[in-house]
Amino acid sequence: MSGIDDLMAEANDRWADATRRAQGVEDNGLGEAVKTYYTRYFPAGFFILVAAGTIGATLAFPGTPERWTTFLTFGFLLGFLGALIGGLVYNAKKVVPAAKLGRIDVLLSLENEEKKQVRRQIAGKAPIDPEHLSVTRAAAVQLRKGLATQLLLLAPLYPLVLIPQVMNLALRGDSLFAWLMAIGVGGIVAGVGFLVRDFRRAGRFLTHTAEQAAPGNAPF
């Protein structure tokens, strides 16, 4: 039985390390921060910059109205730069302070199967383990913060680069490459959808387990 006892002791040590790392990790409004960005700042800044870039290019090259797609590309380029810079600033000012993450990945000490089980709990695909709930909740916060950063910095950028190219190719009659790039845009949008899904799943997990994780309800 000593072999089994040794394995149990090692597992307990791994979870004890993870529990120590989980202390103080909490979500203080990541969902609201991301929602505010996409319902207020991003759409307003995007439309203003695209319009400004398009109009500016039109004024800089007068007398060539047939090149309106090229002018629109300038607008999208300006929107891309604005989304990149704005996302970086907003992430630093609003998203980073909305979560306490700790200094290290709380799951670092766990084995792959244990990490997988934690992620399945966060995704709602496995029963919640109350004994290690603090670790799972901390992992959900860290996952949610990583997803929030991706949603701000990566999700808007690739479509802003590819959409005007699809338009230009389509208008030039190069339907094959236009369709291929359009499929690429669709794939990116689908990928963003998965990011949103995982972000919301982690948020629902934290909400669902908040009462269970309260100090008075912690397991003995």
Side-chain angles (χ1 to χ4, degrees):
M1 295 294 291
S2 61
I4 296 177
D5 292 339
D6 289 342
L7 290 176
M8 291 294 295
E10 291 176 3
N12 289 336
D13 289 342
R14 290 195 300 271
W15 283 105
D17 288 341
T19 301
R20 284 193 293 271
R21 295 190 182 102
Q23 293 177 0
V25 177
E26 58 184 21
D27 184 335
N28 294 322
L30 285 171
E32 188 61 30
V34 173
K35 179 181 177 181
T36 299
Y37 178 75
Y38 273 105
T39 58
R40 187 181 305 173
Y41 297 107
F42 176 76
F46 172 72
F47 286 114
I48 290 172
L49 290 173
V50 170
T54 304
I55 294 171
T58 303
L59 295 176
F61 303 99
T64 53
E66 70 279 0
R67 297 178 59 190
W68 67 271
T69 55
T70 302
F71 301 153
L72 185 61
T73 300
F74 280 108
F76 269 84
L77 177 60
L78 189 59
F80 170 87
L81 293 174
L84 176 60
I85 296 171
L88 286 169
V89 172
Y90 189 87
N91 183 68
K93 296 292 185 180
K94 298 294 184 180
V95 174
V96 171
K100 295 180 180 179
L101 299 180
R103 296 182 178 181
I104 195 169
D105 181 0
V106 297
L107 304 182
L108 182 64
S109 62
L110 302 184
E111 294 186 342
N112 289 335
E113 188 60 33
E114 293 168 332
K115 294 177 182 179
K116 181 179 178 180
Q117 194 64 17
V118 167
R119 296 188 183 104
R120 285 179 58 81
Q121 292 178 56
I122 295 171
K125 297 180 179 180
I128 296 173
D129 178 5
E131 183 180 358
H132 302 129
L133 183 57
S134 63
V135 174
T136 310
R137 282 178 56 83
V141 174
Q142 292 183 338
L143 171 65
R144 195 162 154 84
K145 169 56 178 67
L147 292 170
T149 300
Q150 292 182 61
L151 287 171
L152 261 65
L153 300 183
L154 299 180
L157 301 184
Y158 292 113
L160 290 180
V161 171
L162 295 178
I163 288 174
Q165 297 184 47
V166 172
M167 293 174 56
N168 283 328
L169 288 170
L171 291 171
R172 291 174 184 174
D174 195 343
S175 58
L176 175 60
F177 282 100
W179 274 110
L180 290 175
M181 294 195 71
I183 292 172
V185 173
I188 292 171
V189 172
V192 172
F194 286 121
L195 292 179
V196 173
R197 180 202 63 183
D198 292 343
F199 182 79
R200 296 184 66 183
R201 278 179 175 176
R204 285 195 296 267
F205 172 82
L206 291 172
T207 300
H208 178 68
T209 58
E211 183 176 351
Q212 189 176 354
N217 296 329
F220 292 100

